[in-house]
Amino acid sequence: MKIKLLLILLLVMSLKSWSQKTTVALLPFEKVASFPAESDAIYEKVKQAFIATNRFEIVDRKNFEKINSEKELQKTENFLNSDIVAQANAKGAEQLVTGRVIYVNYTKHTTESSFYYDCNISFSLDVLDVETGQVIYSATLKPEDSFLNSVLKSSLGGNNTQAKAFDNSLIRMQKYIDAFIENYFPIHTQILEIVEIKKEEAKEVLLNVGTQTGTQKNDKYSVIEITTYEAGGKSIKREVEIGELKVTDVQGAEISSAKVSKGGEAILEKFQSNAKLLCKSKI
């Protein structure tokens, strides 16, 4: 496991040399033996969700073929210089994501005039520490069926094959994958300027995000004040949310206008007093 992770680091570092995006190594998923095609489709769904954000460079399954070839050529770890690992860590190349398909279950329902299939899928996504291979964040994803979707399946024959049932279940999974990415890989940015003030409250700001980070109109951000304390010979960081923003206009690669939807007075006060503020994307 260790040599595999170190080899991934070398590949990730080469991507980082020309890309300004965050590089994420998406390791092959553990599959359900009875459903290899479905397992591959889930992997691709996760991969496309990362790509759709326009914020990541993905080291995917194709790259791992190169890694496996390299492993055949290099039978020891001596060629892996520890300085390379340190440099890759410094460049933020510690994002390794893998998954495990827990189950894919099909159920056939028969009515008086027709039949339809249900497909229930569940899988976990894990973020690994690059040096130890230990899981540092994990989530289990399982799409919930809605009443309306159940009615459509039974009345319109929308799930009259197992393949259609699986595809519909995977479509419902999209929001859960997006939430995983947003929760663990939020966009961090800052307020560049407060452009509108009314009654001692910030009403509109400029943010240092844009098309380069996949920013879209109506994206939301939390405004967080960061305070650092020194205690016991170490620094302790405290984060307090003081407001919320909503993007109204994407104006370029690295700039957008946002409306203050909450905490206008606190945002104005903290910004003018040069407090350390961080804006973090949210669902």
Side-chain angles (χ1 to χ4, degrees):
M1 181 65 172
K2 182 179 179 182
I3 189 169
K4 182 178 181 180
L5 292 176
L6 292 175
L7 284 164
I8 293 168
L9 266 178
L10 292 173
L11 182 57
V12 166
M13 190 176 68
S14 68
L15 288 173
K16 291 285 286 185
S17 66
W18 56 266
S19 172
Q20 297 301 313
K21 297 180 180 180
T22 299
T23 302
V24 172
L26 188 58
L27 279 66
F29 284 10
E30 294 181 35
K31 301 179 180 180
V32 174
S34 303
F35 301 101
E38 287 90 337
S39 298
D40 286 342
I42 293 170
Y43 175 91
E44 288 300 322
K45 187 72 170 180
V46 173
K47 174 184 169 182
Q48 290 305 317
F50 273 95
I51 292 173
T53 65
N54 197 33
R55 294 162 43 203
F56 303 97
E57 292 293 342
I58 303 299
V59 182
D60 64 3
R61 212 164 17 196
K62 293 179 181 178
N63 299 117
F64 289 109
E65 295 177 2
K66 300 176 183 178
I67 292 174
N68 289 331
S69 298
E70 182 69 14
K71 287 173 65 177
E72 292 301 315
L73 295 174
Q74 304 287 353
K75 297 298 184 181
T76 72
E77 298 181 22
N78 294 334
F79 72 102
L80 292 168
N81 190 303
S82 60
D83 289 339
I84 295 177
V85 176
Q87 290 172 22
N89 280 331
K91 293 183 179 181
E94 74 282 359
Q95 310 297 354
L96 305 180
V97 178
T98 189
R100 180 173 65 89
V101 179
I102 300 171
Y103 60 76
V104 179
N105 293 330
Y106 293 102
T107 304
K108 185 176 181 179
H109 300 273
T110 304
T111 66
E112 292 183 0
S113 58
S114 64
F115 67 91
Y116 67 95
Y117 289 94
D118 267 334
C119 177
N120 294 313
I121 60 179
S122 179
F123 64 94
S124 64
L125 287 175
D126 301 326
V127 180
L128 308 179
D129 180 86
V130 71
E131 290 187 343
T132 66
Q134 298 299 307
V135 175
I136 55 178
Y137 181 76
S138 181
T140 298
L141 286 69
K142 179 182 182 299
E144 299 295 333
D145 205 359
S146 67
F147 173 75
L148 177 60
N149 189 54
S150 297
V151 171
L152 291 175
K153 286 187 300 187
S154 58
S155 63
L156 302 180
N159 281 8
N160 56 11
T161 67
Q162 289 187 349
K164 289 182 179 179
F166 174 78
D167 289 343
N168 287 333
S169 185
L170 203 55
I171 289 171
R172 299 199 308 277
M173 183 65 80
Q174 183 70 57
K175 66 178 182 180
Y176 299 93
I177 301 172
D178 291 343
F180 172 87
I181 295 173
E182 196 62 49
N183 286 336
Y184 193 78
F185 300 96
I187 299 173
H188 289 178
T189 189
Q190 61 183 345
I191 296 173
L192 298 174
E193 180 185 354
I194 296 178
V195 296
E196 183 181 355
I197 300 171
K198 286 185 179 178
K199 297 180 180 179
E200 300 302 317
E201 292 187 11
K203 294 295 183 181
E204 184 179 349
V205 305
L206 289 180
L207 288 176
N208 184 207
V209 290
T211 55
Q212 184 172 292
T213 53
T215 302
Q216 298 180 2
K217 184 178 180 179
N218 296 324
D219 283 356
K220 297 178 181 179
Y221 286 82
S222 295
V223 182
I224 298 167
E225 180 185 14
I226 299 177
T227 307
T228 303
Y229 302 93
E230 298 296 328
K234 61 181 180 179
S235 296
I236 301 173
K237 185 170 68 174
R238 180 177 183 236
E239 297 186 0
V240 177
E241 182 176 324
I242 63 170
E244 294 181 1
L245 308 172
K246 187 175 184 179
V247 175
T248 55
D249 184 28
V250 180
Q251 300 178 355
E254 298 180 86
I255 191 165
S256 295
S257 177
K259 178 183 178 181
V260 178
S261 52
K262 181 181 177 182
E265 183 177 351
I267 292 173
L268 178 62
E269 177 189 347
K270 299 297 183 180
F271 185 82
Q272 291 180 336
S273 64
N274 294 319
K276 187 174 182 180
L277 299 181
L278 170 70
C279 298
K280 184 184 298 184
S281 61
K282 59 186 295 186
I283 296 293

